Amino acid sequence: MATSSTSSAWAEPAAGGPLAGLKVLELGQLIAGPFAAKTLADFGAEVIKIEPPDGGDPLRRWRLLKDGTSVWWQLQSRNKRSVALDLKDPEAQAVVRELALEADVLIENFRPGALEGFGLAPEALMEANPRLIVLRVSGYGQTGPYRDKPGFGVVAEAMGGLRHLSGEPGRVPVRVGVSIGDTLAALHGVIGVLMALHERGQSGRGQIIDVALYEAVFNCMESLLPEYSAFGAVRGPAGSALPGIAPSNAYACRDGQVLVAGNGDSIFRRLMTAIGREDLAADPALADNTGRVVRVQEIDAAIGAWTAGRTVDEVLAALDAAAVPVGRIYTAADIAHDPHYAAREMLLPVTMADGSTLTVPGIVPKLSRTPGSHRRNAPALGQDTDEVLAALRAKREAEG
């Protein structure tokens, strides 16, 4: 990892965490790039986030605000430092170049060409620091005929094939209720960074990672393209069911709904026995998935008739006893009061500046020996600007 023998704008390595000592410079805003940086920061990376002085990252003002700042911000920017710089200003660009000299990773999610427009072309930064790894996240990637189009996650989800599958047959496709395209791209970016770091350990050289939002979504679309290639099949929306796998669906109860996944052969037999349909459990035509798919409507009707007369808790208890995968459809309130979430440390209480407590999601994945941690709250805009700039001045003076 990059080091310096003189004073540095970068903090000392965080105690613990597998990425302690990794220096990450975050440019861009909103979701994909910052989520990637947040994931690295959770595991010990030192992240300096560059924000525009006039308002900062727009995510600070998205959705529900507490004391003028989004509570989403407290999750997305934990463990980071904030430096307020206008990247259109040549002096600010010079500061970024100085920081990039010591950085291990630079993350940006501007439209292609924007970084070059700021005088911060990755190739130039890497010429000055050959070990630098640059993660570039954009809607359509850095090449191809669509590269210059503005691309948000919602458009990428549609282009990647996800939106067409979402919703009920014959109705307007619906959106997944979170920015899943951005998050998938961020996670692909993190994977790319970790692979590039591993390779750098052998070659000593950095490289550019090009992540397109639509490609991150498309990469998760399972057999969508091969089925079209082999059979001309265009998969469509299937509501709450999982097409081609049976039974796996949502079923109405007296006081809500449950999800039941009885698509394993032995699980199916246990499920049918539990609902009093031993005839279906013993039917040789339903012994494997191929036969069950043919009669999925009959199977769904049998399960639905059984759940309709029971409460969610009664269904959960009966199917848990039969070792059949089943679950309620969780709301935020369900999550906040669930004992398993608590036991797994996924409900993380954070003390805010005013002394109040905010619960945010815990850290994943869980490493046994070097786990991630919440080391500092999300910063105020420009909170660390003076400290970072002072350290850079001291470094220049020390170097003569």
Side-chain angles (χ1 to χ4, degrees), residues 9-11 46-49 80-83 376 384 387-388:
W10 299 88
E46 167 66 16
V47 176
I48 292 180
K49 177 179 178 63
K80 300 179 184 180
R81 293 197 289 164
S82 171
V83 173
R376 58 180 284 169
D384 305 285
E387 178 186 358
V388 169

Side-chain angles (χ1 to χ4, degrees), residues 223-306:
S223 61
L224 186 76
L225 182 60
E227 288 174 357
Y228 176 75
S229 177
F231 308 107
V234 177
R235 183 171 163 184
S240 61
L242 188 59
I245 301 174
S248 182
N249 211 334
Y251 304 91
C253 302
R254 288 199 335 239
D255 58 349
Q257 300 84 32
V258 295
L259 295 174
V260 179
N263 44 284
D265 295 344
S266 60
I267 296 173
F268 173 75
R269 291 191 292 273
R270 294 197 300 273
L271 171 59
M272 291 299 101
T273 300
I275 70 172
R277 293 301 303 267
E278 288 83 356
D279 58 318
L280 296 180
D283 190 333
L286 303 178
D288 61 27
N289 186 67
T290 301
R292 292 193 296 272
V293 169
V294 174
R295 293 168 59 184
V296 64
Q297 292 182 339
E298 176 187 357
I299 295 169
D300 278 345
I303 300 170
W306 179 79

